[in-house]
Amino acid sequence: MNLFATWKSNPPCRIYVTQSSDDGKQVFPPPADQFRPLQSVFRRRLLTGVGAASLLAVGANFGGSTSFLLGFSPEAARSLKLDALYPVGGYSRYIDTNEGFEFVYPESWLGDQTLLYRAAGKAERSLDPPPLGGGGGRRRNVNEPAVAFGPPGSTGELNVSVIVSPVPIDFSIEAFGGAEEVGEAIVRTITGSGKRPDVKGTLRGCRLREDSVRKVKYYELEFEVESSVFQRHNVAVCCARKGRLFTLNAQAPESAWPQFKSQFYTIAHSFNLV
């Protein structure tokens, strides 16, 4: 039997759904035609669901997707302070609205746990009523960092920190002279001005960076500190405003300096008062 000839002479029948009515039989279109209007609805819902999932992934930086996208325009992302939420170009931004400064640090570095616990305790104590004697609580040591970051599992030899110290309201760093004189004075202060003969400091470079809008002068320094037990390479930034002296210091063992040199320069250039 020729099946093709049989099929051609008796083509498959199209099946219709019928419904009895007073006028006779009403013929409905095939199921495919009935559900065709729903296809656009399903397609629209599918696209909406995919779009919502994509937004959630970007918002949560799932798999680093947001950081990857922001990396296409890092300067624009940094100008909008988006790196305070998502790492951009390998760096995260820290903003201290209380003390009024900001800087970037390597995204893999972690905050100093001791300082974090102390800050949490301070916030908790601020909820307590003031003492009856009227005296305030113990003030933070002026040499204690306001914040510090370092690689996870490190011993503290490699880190970046910021110290905010009270100074007279009319204090001016420019009174020490030019950038080089300021650098030498700061290195002498760090090494104890000769009171610690076993510690030696050497200034390697300095430059002045000015913010004409906020009227702040930033002194960026690079120096080495060595003794019989350690050798460190430091990059620091100093500035003063309204009775407060700000000092950012990034330090690394001398042996690790070549590896972190570029990162330290990036950190120093990013330090600003807000």
Side-chain angles (χ1 to χ4, degrees), residues 134-195:
R138 183 180 65 86
R139 294 187 61 186
R140 188 184 71 203
N141 189 313
V142 294
N143 293 321
E144 179 181 291
V147 66
F149 292 93
S154 62
T155 61
E157 282 289 297
L158 175 62
N159 70 79
V160 57
S161 62
V162 177
I163 295 177
V164 183
S165 308
V167 293
I169 194 67
D170 59 347
F171 176 82
S172 174
I173 298 181
E174 297 92 289
F176 291 92
E180 187 171 352
E181 288 79 9
V182 170
E184 293 288 357
I186 292 175
V187 171
R188 286 196 301 269
T189 301
I190 293 174
T191 56
S193 301
K195 296 179 181 179

Side-chain angles (χ1 to χ4, degrees), residues 60-207:
N61 199 25
F62 182 74
S65 57
T66 307
S67 297
F68 175 76
L69 294 175
L70 294 178
F72 286 106
S73 184
E75 294 305 321
R78 293 189 181 106
S79 65
L80 295 173
K81 311 297 184 184
L82 294 179
D83 50 354
L85 301 174
Y86 313 104
V88 176
Y91 293 89
S92 296
R93 181 177 301 273
Y94 176 80
I95 303 177
D96 191 321
T97 55
N98 183 39
E99 297 289 1
F101 64 85
E102 65 176 4
F103 65 95
V104 302
Y105 61 93
E107 63 174 313
S108 61
W109 287 18
L110 303 177
D112 185 286
Q113 296 299 312
T114 302
L115 294 177
L116 292 176
Y117 290 142
R118 194 168 297 160
K122 182 179 179 181
E124 184 177 348
R125 288 193 300 272
S126 67
L127 300 177
D128 297 335
L132 296 178
R138 183 180 65 86
R139 294 187 61 186
R140 188 184 71 203
N141 189 313
V142 294
N143 293 321
E144 179 181 291
V147 66
F149 292 93
S154 62
T155 61
E157 282 289 297
L158 175 62
N159 70 79
V160 57
S161 62
V162 177
I163 295 177
V164 183
S165 308
V167 293
I169 194 67
D170 59 347
F171 176 82
S172 174
I173 298 181
E174 297 92 289
F176 291 92
E180 187 171 352
E181 288 79 9
V182 170
E184 293 288 357
I186 292 175
V187 171
R188 286 196 301 269
T189 301
I190 293 174
T191 56
S193 301
K195 296 179 181 179
R196 300 171 58 186
D198 61 320
V199 180
K200 178 183 177 182
T202 305
L203 182 66
R204 293 302 182 189
C206 56
R207 79 182 190 100

Side-chain angles (χ1 to χ4, degrees), residues 249-271:
N249 182 64
Q251 69 174 32
E254 187 63 41
S255 59
W257 168 247
Q259 178 183 353
F260 293 96
K261 176 180 179 179
S262 176
Q263 292 182 340
F264 276 22
Y265 288 160
T266 299
I267 293 172
H269 297 340
S270 72
F271 182 74

Side-chain angles (χ1 to χ4, degrees), residues 27-45:
V27 180
F28 291 92
D33 294 338
Q34 294 183 47
F35 289 102
R36 184 168 291 114
L38 297 178
Q39 292 179 0
S40 61
V41 177
F42 292 150
R43 187 180 300 110
R44 185 165 58 251
R45 290 185 177 180

